[in-house]
């Protein structure tokens, strides 16, 4: 029996390639990049810390956790966001109570994104405790080399002085 080659890459391949590219973009920007798993899915993990004078010398930590899944719905995105924020909270640097701001960008990548997941991602940022902010992201890779990114891009009351920095990094990591 002869196997025939398909016309182009499968949607799963497109999501996998997007994750590979994400890992490279994180490395190029100076992030520490590692990997873990969530519900049997490979997760790319990146984190970095930045301190700037305009932030009155305070430090912000940024965590990126991204996984390719067959389909993204609101329930899966909520679950992944909670898991990613708990994981970031567990590995943050500094002493509890004396930490600076931290933002988590939990991203699910798929060729199939339900509208409810997109709506949940763009609705608002999520707060865990008083020092950890999450901005969930959906990445729809409907065709190789293309991606539709959905996330909350508005300001926040807590950690607002870091919003521009976080959105700039999100645009760099999730083009």
């Amino acid at each position: 029996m002869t196997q025939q080659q398909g016309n182009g890459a499968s949607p799963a391949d497109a999501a996998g390639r997007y994750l590979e590219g994400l890992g490279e973009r994180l490395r190029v920007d100076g992030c520490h990049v590692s990997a873990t798993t969530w519900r049997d899915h490979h997760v790319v993990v990146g984190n970095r810390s930045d301190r700037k004078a305009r932030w009155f010398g305070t430090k912000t930590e940024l965590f990126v956790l991204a996984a390719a899944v067959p389909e993204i719905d609101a329930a899966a995105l909520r679950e992944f966001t909670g898991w990613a924020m708990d994981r970031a909270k567990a590995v943050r640097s500094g002493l509890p109570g004396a930490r600076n701001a931290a933002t988590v960008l939990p991203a699910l990548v798929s060729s199939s994104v339900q509208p409810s997941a997109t709506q949940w991602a763009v609705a608002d940022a999520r707060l865990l405790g008083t020092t950890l902010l999450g901005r969930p992201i959906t990445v729809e890779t409907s065709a190789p080399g293309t991606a539709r990114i959905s996330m909350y891009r508005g300001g926040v009351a807590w950690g607002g002085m870091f919003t521009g920095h976080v959105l700039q990094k999100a645009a760099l990591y999730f083009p």
Side-chain angles (χ1 to χ4, degrees):
M1 178 182 266
T2 305
Q3 288 186 329
Q4 295 180 347
Q5 243 178 316
N7 291 347
S10 74
D13 291 343
R17 278 198 303 282
Y18 189 89
L19 280 184
E20 288 173 11
L22 171 63
E24 186 57 29
R25 290 186 294 275
L26 291 166
R27 274 190 272 298
V28 167
D29 194 44
C31 292
H32 173 263
V33 179
S34 60
T36 190
T37 56
W38 170 75
R39 289 187 4 185
D40 296 328
H41 298 289
H42 171 75
V43 178
V44 172
V45 180
N47 66 294
R48 65 175 291 133
S49 295
D50 294 297
R51 186 180 304 271
K52 298 194 180 194
R54 72 174 186 254
W55 300 334
F56 307 103
T58 58
K59 179 176 79 169
T60 183
E61 291 179 276
L62 181 63
F63 296 89
V64 176
L65 294 97
V69 296
E71 181 178 43
I72 304 171
D73 61 18
L77 186 58
R78 267 192 303 274
E79 181 183 336
F80 184 73
T81 297
W83 174 85
M85 291 180 73
D86 286 342
R87 182 166 175 83
K89 182 180 178 183
V91 299
R92 285 185 65 193
S93 63
L95 300 170
R99 295 177 174 152
N100 291 305
T103 300
V104 182
L105 300 177
L108 288 180
V109 183
S110 179
S111 62
S112 177
V113 179
Q114 291 185 5
S116 61
T118 300
Q119 291 166 356
W120 192 80
V122 302
D124 202 355
R126 298 343 189 245
L127 189 62
L128 179 64
T130 59
T131 60
L132 191 61
L133 184 72
R135 289 179 181 262
I137 299 171
T138 62
V139 179
E140 185 175 4
T141 56
S142 54
T146 64
R148 180 178 302 145
I149 313 302
S150 299
M151 70 176 285
Y152 177 68
R153 298 179 194 279
V156 292
W158 179 88
M161 76 175 144
F162 306 110
T163 298
H165 177 71
V166 169
L167 293 178
Q168 177 186 24
K169 293 300 181 183
L172 176 64
Y173 303 151
F174 299 96

